[in-house]
Amino acid sequence: MDPSAAAASSGSSGPALLPGPSLPAPNALVQDRLAGWISDLTTLQELTERLTRTTTLDAALHEALRAGATLVGARRGLVTLHPATGPGRDHPVTVGFGLDHADLGHIETIPQAGAGPEASGASAASGDSGISRAPGAPGAPGSSGASGAEAVQEAVPGPYGRLFDDLPPTGSRTGTAHPDVASDEGLDPRHREVAARLGYGASYAVPLETDNAGRIGAAVWLYDEAAEPTERQRHLVGLYRDHATEHLARQLELAEAREAVATLREELLPSRLPRTPGVRLAVRHRTGPLGGGDWYDALPLPEGALGLAVGGVSGSGPSAVAAMGRLRASLRAYAVMEGEDPVAVLSDLELLLRLTEPARAATALFAYCEPADRKVLLAGAGHCPPLIIGDHRVEFVETSLSAPLGMLACWEAPSVEIEPAPGETLLFYSDGLLHRTGRPMDRAFARLRTAAAGVPKAARRDPEALVEHVLRTMLPQEGHSAWDGSEDVVLLAARFE
């Protein structure tokens, strides 16, 4: 058959088409896009949940930096907070991620745009602060409003604000990228020098700002090479940033409250220990994050005597701290009036607590000391017995069993008299020290006795070294420099000469 006839008979007027590459069906494209969205949302949910589980400001800052680095594809960064109130209002709170103290010190040397008189004059004359700006930011071409220097001041003040000079002012949440720091002539030469020294080639900064919290700071992530986040990465980090800002604002409020409670508590406790001939004192006091009611006191009494006390009230927070202050002040008054009779002191305290705060319980231990004669008369109300530490004995004082204050209609228990040998130390402590070990009380008491027995002989001559050794042995993971325990801890040592 003739080919043309065959074509005519088939209804085709052109040459036959060769099979080409198959194109994905529109349904497959939609599925791929949905899969990408689901993956992004899953990642975002996991990161926000991790942030929500943080309970301290420092942990929240580190987690926000780590998550942001994951979202924008960077390895390092820093966040600085400078809220209007609370921690950071006077000095910015700054945390680095993948940056040590030396690196942060180098960043501090970057001159801030518009910081000096000459820079301010140049900025006013040219209408530019010498830095690249986000479109629409004050000082940028085609914008109106605050000058470049004012925008810098409004962005993020403080030494680390130099990395955030070109963030738009409050009211805009636009992030700013420097895709190639080495070739960006708009940056200060010192900025490029620091970038080369620290080995980063690009940066991306975002303000930490929401409508509710306002602007509380900013975060910047640093890339090892020239790079910038994609639109998808910017969108994801923007969503995460909104959640992180609200969480950080709440942590700032909590940190401010804890700071206020801690300050109040410190004001309610002795500012210094008294110097009494014949006895040397040392104390360690660590407050839990909620502010507990444990307390201590060392009070000079007439005729060269000394009153020592430890105790605690039930509950936590500002109300417990206030109750602790009232209880301690009352005990001081009773100790001055009748300190030589510890039973009378605690009986008066019991009556006061029962009449004024019937819903609150408290423990207390009061010791009337005569250092010249090395005699101690003590009584306790539901409190742990003190420990005697010497070269020839390490043992708990056998105090009579008694209920806490406020637990009975009338409290009274016999006092106990002890005579420490020269060089022996009487160690008072709060039950928080035992609870923080996470062990049953009988094992916690045994651990305390073992810790005291293990104090080196040289350290036993110094009450400061003794309490330090006991604290580190009892709580080796928490130590004493960055206390994050849930309960208060008190250690009060009196070494008799």
Side-chain angles (χ1 to χ4, degrees):
M1 182 178 183
D2 183 80
S4 59
S9 64
S10 65
S12 175
S13 59
L17 297 176
L18 297 175
S22 61
L23 296 176
N27 194 32
L29 291 174
V30 172
Q31 290 179 352
D32 289 344
R33 183 168 296 181
L34 285 175
W37 289 344
I38 292 174
S39 176
D40 290 345
L41 290 175
T42 301
T43 300
L44 199 60
Q45 181 181 5
E46 292 176 354
L47 295 177
T48 53
E49 287 179 350
R50 287 174 60 96
L51 179 66
T52 303
R53 286 194 293 268
T54 58
T55 57
T56 64
L57 180 60
D58 187 67
L61 289 171
H62 280 94
E63 176 58 30
L65 274 174
R66 188 198 66 80
T70 300
L71 292 173
V72 302
R75 288 198 314 114
R76 291 177 289 175
L78 66 90
V79 60
T80 181
L81 301 183
H82 203 304
T85 61
R89 62 186 179 273
D90 299 321
H91 304 285
V93 177
T94 302
V95 168
F97 176 70
L99 298 170
D100 57 27
H101 290 294
D103 297 335
L104 295 176
H106 287 303
I107 292 174
E108 277 192 321
T109 65
I110 302 174
Q112 190 164 352
E118 297 179 0
S120 300
S123 175
S126 63
D128 189 4
S129 63
I131 56 177
S132 59
R133 296 195 169 279
S143 66
S144 61
S147 68
E150 289 171 343
V152 168
Q153 186 178 8
E154 191 177 12
V156 182
Y160 299 105
R162 295 157 181 140
L163 284 182
F164 312 104
D165 278 344
D166 53 352
L167 281 178
T170 303
S172 173
R173 302 176 194 172
T174 304
T176 303
H178 288 294
D180 192 348
V181 173
S183 62
D184 192 340
E185 297 296 333
L187 294 175
D188 188 279
R190 177 58 183 166
H191 192 162
R192 298 197 298 273
E193 180 183 338
V194 169
R197 185 184 187 94
L198 300 185
Y200 69 87
S203 65
Y204 180 65
V206 296
L208 299 175
E209 179 180 0
T210 62
D211 294 336
N212 292 330
R215 179 168 295 187
I216 62 173
V220 61
W221 290 277
L222 307 176
Y223 296 87
D224 293 343
E225 300 176 350
E228 65 178 309
T230 64
E231 287 299 323
R232 173 187 172 190
Q233 290 174 322
R234 292 177 187 238
H235 178 67
L236 286 176
V237 81
L239 295 174
Y240 180 83
R241 181 269 316 276
D242 292 344
H243 176 80
T245 301
E246 293 290 342
H247 183 72
L248 291 172
R250 289 191 294 270
Q251 291 298 327
L252 279 169
E253 292 177 357
L254 288 174
E256 181 181 13
R258 291 168 181 166
E259 184 180 273
V261 170
T263 301
L264 173 63
R265 181 185 178 83
E266 293 303 321
E267 291 296 325
L268 293 174
L269 292 175
S271 58
R272 61 184 179 85
L273 296 175
R275 294 184 178 180
T276 303
V279 64
R280 295 170 58 194
L281 302 176
V283 69
R284 290 294 182 273
H285 171 229
R286 304 291 173 254
T287 306
L290 299 180
D294 289 356
W295 54 277
Y296 68 94
D297 206 350
L299 177 66
L301 296 174
E303 300 180 0
L306 177 69
L308 299 176
V310 291
V313 300
S314 58
S316 61
S319 64
V321 173
M324 174 270 290
R326 293 190 293 268
L327 193 71
R328 173 178 170 267
S330 300
L331 185 140
R332 289 175 71 92
Y334 298 143
V336 170
M337 292 187 296
E338 46 191 2
E340 67 278 3
D341 185 357
V343 172
V345 172
L346 295 185
S347 296
D348 292 343
L349 204 61
E350 156 73 22
L351 179 60
L352 177 71
L353 189 70
R354 181 159 45 88
L355 294 177
T356 59
E357 301 186 57
R360 192 180 296 277
T363 65
L365 185 70
F366 178 72
Y368 178 79
C369 307
E370 297 178 349
D373 298 328
R374 291 194 304 277
K375 291 184 179 180
V376 178
L377 192 65
L378 62 87
H383 203 83
C384 304
L387 190 65
I388 295 182
I389 305 171
D391 292 337
H392 303 292
R393 61 172 174 170
V394 176
E395 59 188 27
F396 291 100
V397 177
E398 294 186 4
T399 58
S400 57
L401 185 63
S402 63
L405 300 173
M407 297 294 290
L408 299 175
C410 180
W411 178 90
E412 184 171 338
S415 59
V416 176
E417 182 176 337
I418 57 176
E419 296 184 6
E424 289 189 329
T425 299
L426 196 59
L427 182 66
F428 303 87
Y429 52 93
S430 67
D431 57 2
L433 178 68
L434 304 175
H435 292 158
R436 285 304 300 162
T437 63
R439 302 184 178 188
M441 291 298 285
D442 57 340
R443 296 180 61 187
F445 275 115
R447 180 170 179 174
L448 174 58
R449 187 182 183 283
T450 301
V455 177
K457 287 189 176 182
R460 294 186 183 187
R461 302 186 185 98
D462 181 7
E464 291 283 348
L466 187 147
V467 294
E468 191 77 9
H469 177 89
V470 171
L471 183 60
R472 289 183 180 275
T473 305
M474 291 289 287
L475 308 175
Q477 300 303 320
E478 296 171 356
H480 66 286
S481 59
W483 179 252
D484 61 353
S486 60
E487 295 190 46
D488 293 1
V489 168
V490 172
L491 278 173
L492 177 62
R495 185 179 189 273
F496 291 85
E497 304 296 343

